[in-house]
Amino acid sequence: MSNPNHSPEQAADRVALGELVDAYARLADRRDAPGQAALFTADARVAVYDGEPDTTEPTQVLNGRDELADAFGALRTYDRTTHFNGQRTVTIDGDRATGETYCLAHHLWTEEGQRTLMVMSIRYHDTFVRQDGRWFFAERKLITDWIDRRTSTP
């Protein structure tokens, strides 16, 4: 349901930003690291936080599409992943926007003959920019709230 206080342009921007966030998750699950990196501005920054309540410094920082593509390629170490995006908020100000998206990221692999499942509860804090009529990530903060790792049966 759309908000009657949003103009048609704002509604279209909200849809485009949601599609951008979902494309990131879909490309991650398809192991398309260059495609994921292309969703970011050339000088984008991704900062990873471990989710401890008092954490203010990132544990990892990636800058630019090349570093992002290399890091995104690490998902190939898993047999399968599923990133399931949940609630999302966004605030748009012209050609810039900020938002928060909740995600449950499922990672499945075999370790020492045992199938293993790791589920991560992630919150993404995003800064978006519109360039040449298209929205991109300018900055993405990945905050891990919790991780559940367990054996899994097929």
Side-chain angles (χ1 to χ4, degrees), residues 6 20 24 52 58 62 80 88 90 100 105 123 147 150:
H6 294 153
L20 176 65
Y24 173 90
E52 292 297 319
L62 305 163
R80 297 276 189 266
R88 177 182 306 139
V90 67
E100 180 180 49
R123 285 179 294 124
I147 297 173
R150 64 184 104 149

Side-chain angles (χ1 to χ4, degrees), residues 55-73:
T55 299
T56 58
E57 294 299 318
T59 55
Q60 181 181 21
V61 177
L62 305 163
N63 293 292
R65 288 182 179 146
D66 290 341
E67 283 186 23
L68 295 175
D70 287 345
F72 297 154

Side-chain angles (χ1 to χ4, degrees), residues 9-42:
E9 294 80 15
Q10 284 179 319
D13 286 339
R14 288 176 179 284
V15 169
L17 290 165
E19 289 176 349
L20 176 65
V21 169
D22 290 344
Y24 173 90
R26 185 178 57 258
L27 291 167
D29 294 335
R30 285 170 175 68
R31 309 299 190 277
D32 185 348
Q36 273 184 286
L39 301 175
F40 290 78
T41 60

Side-chain angles (χ1 to χ4, degrees), residues 66-133:
D66 290 341
E67 283 186 23
L68 295 175
D70 287 345
F72 297 154
L75 286 175
R76 291 184 192 102
T77 63
Y78 300 103
D79 296 335
R80 297 276 189 266
T81 60
T82 300
H83 291 73
F84 186 81
N85 291 325
Q87 65 267 36
R88 177 182 306 139
T89 59
V90 67
T91 302
I92 301 168
D93 184 11
D95 287 337
R96 295 191 61 79
T98 56
E100 180 180 49
T101 299
Y102 281 63
C103 176
L104 289 177
H106 302 72
H107 303 76
L108 189 64
W109 73 98
T110 302
E111 184 175 58
E112 298 178 9
Q114 177 60 59
R115 187 171 133 157
T116 304
L117 173 66
M118 176 177 61
V119 179
M120 301 171 67
S121 175
I122 297 171
R123 285 179 294 124
Y124 292 108
H125 288 195
D126 295 314
T127 301
F128 307 98
V129 295
R130 183 179 8 224
Q131 296 178 342
D132 298 323

